[in-house]
Amino acid sequence: MLLNPTQRQKLDGGNDRQFYDTPRFVTHVDTGFIDRLTNLYRERLVPDTRIFDMMSSWVSHLPDELQFEYVQGHGLNAEELAKNPRFDSYFVQNLNQDLKLPLENESFDAVLNTVSVQYLQYPEAIFAEVYRILKPDGIAIFSFSNRMFYNKAIAAWRDASETDRVELVKRYFQSVTGFSTPEAIVQVSQAPDLLRWLGAGGGDPFYAVIAQKRS
């Protein structure tokens, strides 16, 4: 296994469904991050295809001008998911308890995950599911910053540097035979540490790790 039991632990070991029971109609990253992510989707996603937005909420950051054949949502709060205007349908599922997605093999052209990968306790199983539901040549985009619900992130994430977290997500992809070599996109502020500590360092860092299902 990629992670040992200690690395999978959370400071708050309570049920994730209860933690997310109250809707949070906020964005968990700043506008700079969101703009970068939307531009990435604009560059990498193909119109009129099928999208699975996993561990999502009330906003998906998809470009307004791009229309898709079908967008399937998933998350832990039904009220948030119901507010997402891009979803054709959605379902609620705790991926740390139920590791099998209720989706058909090779049924999506793209799988998206935004600022949520840090909460997966069994990423090897979930990335295998991502692979299963992707069509040949389908793309998976996992994006994240340095923000998190600290008590709900796994130890392997909490204890890692930001650079190490990029490598960790690469390893998640590499744990599944059939993904292409993961590509990392890193966009961080070049401001001095002191300015970043004072909150004037140019905004949230942007990280994305991308791979495709080999045909």
Side-chain angles (χ1 to χ4, degrees):
M1 298 296 285
L2 182 62
L3 302 179
N4 64 47
T6 300
Q7 291 175 305
R8 302 179 197 275
Q9 290 180 356
K10 302 184 178 188
L11 296 176
D12 177 358
N15 191 301
D16 291 339
R17 287 286 294 272
Q18 293 177 349
F19 180 80
Y20 292 100
D21 189 55
T22 301
R24 298 174 174 89
F25 294 110
V26 298
T27 54
H28 299 283
V29 283
D30 66 13
T31 56
F33 182 103
I34 292 170
D35 289 345
R36 292 185 184 99
L37 181 60
T38 300
N39 282 332
L40 178 62
Y41 289 163
R42 186 174 286 116
E43 294 168 1
R44 301 298 181 98
L45 300 181
V46 178
D48 301 319
T49 55
R50 292 175 56 85
I51 308 294
F52 178 47
D53 188 8
M54 65 184 296
M55 303 178 77
S56 188
S57 63
W58 65 288
V59 60
S60 292
H61 311 304
L62 294 167
D64 290 336
E65 74 277 10
L66 289 187
Q67 298 302 311
F68 300 98
E69 176 187 338
Y70 193 84
V71 180
Q72 173 77 63
H74 157 264
L76 280 176
N77 187 279
E79 289 183 64
E80 291 184 22
L81 299 172
K83 290 285 187 180
N84 192 316
R86 301 305 298 263
F87 289 160
D88 294 292
S89 66
Y90 63 85
F91 63 94
V92 174
Q93 180 177 330
N94 183 348
L95 296 181
N96 291 325
Q97 292 185 338
D98 185 352
L99 309 182
K100 180 76 170 178
L101 291 168
L103 303 169
E104 296 295 325
N105 293 350
E106 299 187 352
S107 54
F108 289 92
D109 300 280
V111 174
L112 312 177
N113 183 292
T114 305
V115 297
S116 296
V117 66
Q118 60 266 32
Y119 307 121
L120 290 173
Q121 291 180 284
Y122 304 95
E124 309 95 327
I126 300 305
F127 274 65
E129 281 292 278
V130 169
Y131 180 85
R132 180 182 66 80
I133 68 172
L134 275 175
K135 297 178 183 180
D137 297 320
I139 190 172
I141 302 175
F142 280 71
S143 60
F144 50 95
S145 188
N146 56 1
R147 299 198 202 187
M148 70 189 88
F149 293 120
Y150 193 78
N151 57 330
K152 280 298 184 180
I154 64 170
W157 193 273
R158 296 194 315 269
D159 297 340
S161 68
E162 293 181 30
T163 300
D164 288 342
R165 290 168 185 166
V166 173
E167 295 304 314
L168 185 62
V169 180
K170 285 184 179 181
R171 289 170 58 203
Y172 291 167
F173 276 115
Q174 291 165 346
S175 71
V176 182
T177 301
F179 273 120
S180 65
T181 300
E183 169 194 359
I185 297 175
V186 176
Q187 297 176 354
V188 299
S189 172
Q190 300 302 312
D193 288 345
L194 178 59
L195 289 180
R196 285 189 275 125
W197 292 334
L198 293 174
D204 291 343
F206 177 86
Y207 303 100
V209 180
I210 304 167
Q212 288 184 281
K213 179 175 182 174
R214 293 194 183 103
S215 59

